[in-house]
């Protein structure tokens, strides 16, 4: 029975994240998806929105739960007695960044192991920031995120458009 934590911004969650969770849930007995709440960072989606969108995406799996956390991820792992962090790796650039992060987390708690998983190739190019840009330009994101995420993304973009327009008047 090995518990694992999958941390991230998930701003917004994508089918790439889901593919990693789908793989991880077959390896580990329990997955805690942890939505990072960092006061220094600006997110497009609130913590509550990110948690609810992700919850909706994983609701079919009974060994996956979603939580918000505003402190060190190793502290979350300790709180639930988990020793494994999962991170998704799409390419060498990701690996280089993720490796440094893993070593930092190991420095903070030597009992924590980071496990890197790669998604199916069709998810290699999915990135939350790129999806937001694409949606802003009116691109079709339906193959990248579920309808719930696409709808909320659209609502936010319309709101931004109206507030920018009002600011200019
Ligand atoms: P962070 O802001 O911590 O990088 P993200 O929400 O962007 O959080 O990602 C969380 C984890 O999911 C990271 O390990 C990231 O590399 C991974 N990830 C993001 N998109 C994909 C994808 N398309 N395929 C596989 N892993 C991904």
């Amino acid at each position: 029975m090995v518990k694992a934590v999958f941390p991230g911004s998930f701003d917004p969650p994508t089918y790439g994240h889901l593919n990693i969770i789908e793989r991880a849930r077959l390896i580990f007995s329990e997955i805690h998806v942890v939505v990072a709440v960092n006061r220094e960072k600006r997110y497009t989606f609130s913590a509550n929105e990110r948690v609810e969108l992700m919850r909706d995406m994983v609701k079919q799996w009974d060994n996956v739960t979603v939580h918000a956390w505003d402190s060190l991820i190793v502290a979350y792992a300790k709180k639930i007695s988990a020793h494994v962090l999962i991170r998704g790796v799409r390419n060498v650039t990701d690996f280089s960044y993720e490796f440094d992060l893993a070593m930092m987390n190991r420095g903070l708690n030597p009992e924590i192991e980071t496990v890197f998983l790669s998604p199916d190739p069709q998810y290699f190019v999915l990135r939350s920031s790129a999806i937001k840009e694409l949606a802003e330009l009116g691109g079709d994101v339906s193959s990248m995120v579920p309808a719930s995420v696409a709808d909320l993304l659209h609502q936010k973009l319309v709101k931004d458009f109206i507030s920018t327009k009002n600011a200019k008047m």
Side-chain angles (χ1 to χ4, degrees):
M1 300 290 279
V2 180
K3 276 187 206 170
V5 175
F6 180 40
S9 304
F10 308 115
D11 188 38
T14 71
Y15 284 142
H17 297 127
L18 195 65
N19 190 253
I20 296 295
I21 298 167
E22 203 172 357
R23 290 163 182 284
R25 68 172 287 275
L26 299 177
I27 304 172
F28 301 100
S29 57
E30 212 182 292
I31 309 289
H32 284 235
V33 179
V34 177
V35 172
V37 184
N38 182 340
R39 280 173 236 288
E40 308 285 299
K41 263 193 176 178
R42 286 178 64 88
Y43 300 101
T44 305
F45 293 85
S46 71
N48 208 24
E49 285 169 336
R50 289 177 286 138
V51 166
E52 288 309 320
L53 290 170
M54 185 59 104
R55 274 200 184 130
D56 191 52
M57 285 164 76
V58 301
K59 62 177 185 285
Q60 68 276 29
W61 298 318
D62 56 8
N63 66 337
V64 182
T65 52
V66 184
H67 313 265
W69 185 247
D70 67 357
S71 183
L72 288 175
I73 199 61
V74 292
Y76 183 88
K78 191 168 181 190
K79 181 174 88 108
I80 64 154
S81 305
H83 297 278
V84 176
L85 294 184
I86 295 161
R87 293 291 287 178
V89 173
R90 289 158 286 202
N91 48 43
V92 178
T93 311
D94 267 0
F95 182 75
S96 163
Y97 170 77
E98 294 293 344
F99 185 81
D100 287 354
L101 200 61
M103 289 311 117
M104 206 172 70
N105 282 326
R106 189 184 288 179
L108 291 171
N109 182 344
E111 290 178 3
I112 299 279
E113 289 298 341
T114 301
V115 171
F116 304 111
L117 294 176
S118 294
D120 282 320
Q122 69 262 40
Y123 305 112
F124 283 173
V125 293
L126 291 197
R127 197 168 288 278
S128 299
S129 54
I131 291 171
K132 284 185 279 194
E133 278 174 34
L134 185 61
E136 220 159 7
L137 296 171
D140 178 11
V141 295
S142 60
S143 63
M144 306 171 185
V145 293
S148 54
V149 174
D151 287 350
L152 200 56
L153 202 47
H154 185 69
Q155 280 175 33
K156 280 188 186 285
L157 297 177
V158 169
K159 225 188 262 168
D160 284 354
F161 177 74
I162 291 169
S163 59
T164 315
K165 210 170 132 196
N166 287 342
K168 280 184 185 157
M169 282 167 67

